[in-house]
Amino acid sequence: MINDLIGDMLTRIRNAQCVRREEVEVISSRAVIAILNILKEQGMIQDFVKIGYNLLIKLKYDSLGIPVIESLKRVSKPSLRVYVKKTEIPYVRNGLGFAIISTSRGVLVDYEARRLGIGGEILCTMW
């Protein structure tokens, strides 16, 4: 049984990009779907489709075959949660990347949380 579905999803995406796979299958949950919606809005993945209890993610590469996602990192883990106030939301790579934050208004990108003036749990960062 997998306890950390978000960490599992990030690892599967990272591993699939290392071997240049076009699609990867992950276990579905509400948090994973919310993160994938943000990745799709930000242009980091092409699309995802729900198939039963799983999700099929279509990864995105540039014209040279280099993955669009250079790096993704899990920040808050089940063993160590990382919470930030609205004034402490980090700038990932000086604004070139983004953090995904779980707030009281749902899962948001760091600049949306700053604009709304709310903090929360930093789930992951990527660029």
Side-chain angles (χ1 to χ4, degrees):
M1 183 173 166
I2 299 171
N3 291 331
D4 185 15
L5 293 177
I6 296 170
D8 180 62
M9 175 196 63
L10 296 175
T11 301
R12 287 183 189 208
I13 291 172
R14 191 180 310 115
N15 291 341
Q17 285 184 334
C18 285
V19 294
R20 304 287 193 260
R21 296 195 65 186
E22 292 184 15
E23 299 175 339
V24 63
E25 194 170 326
V26 298
I27 299 170
S28 178
S29 75
R30 282 190 281 170
V32 169
I33 291 173
I35 291 172
L36 289 175
N37 280 325
I38 289 175
L39 293 180
K40 186 177 174 184
E41 288 172 5
Q42 298 296 319
M44 302 299 252
I45 61 172
Q46 287 182 8
D47 201 6
F48 66 96
V49 181
K50 187 166 184 169
I51 302 173
Y53 292 109
N54 295 334
L55 297 168
L56 186 66
I57 304 169
K58 295 181 182 178
L59 301 174
K60 192 172 185 179
Y61 298 93
D62 66 3
S63 60
L64 300 174
I66 300 171
V68 173
I69 301 173
E70 283 187 40
S71 175
L72 32 99
K73 180 182 176 188
R74 178 82 158 116
V75 177
S76 186
K77 303 171 186 172
S79 61
L80 180 64
R81 303 288 185 183
V82 178
Y83 296 96
V84 292
K85 297 178 185 176
K86 63 181 180 181
T87 57
E88 299 171 350
I89 297 174
Y91 288 91
V92 179
R93 304 272 290 201
N94 289 328
L96 295 176
F98 57 92
I100 298 177
I101 302 172
S102 176
T103 67
S104 58
R105 295 195 186 171
V107 179
L108 301 174
V109 183
D110 57 359
Y111 59 84
E112 290 178 5
R114 271 190 221 96
R115 184 178 58 82
L116 294 173
I118 52 177
E121 179 184 0
I122 302 178
L123 298 176
C124 58
T125 60
M126 59 186 59
W127 62 88

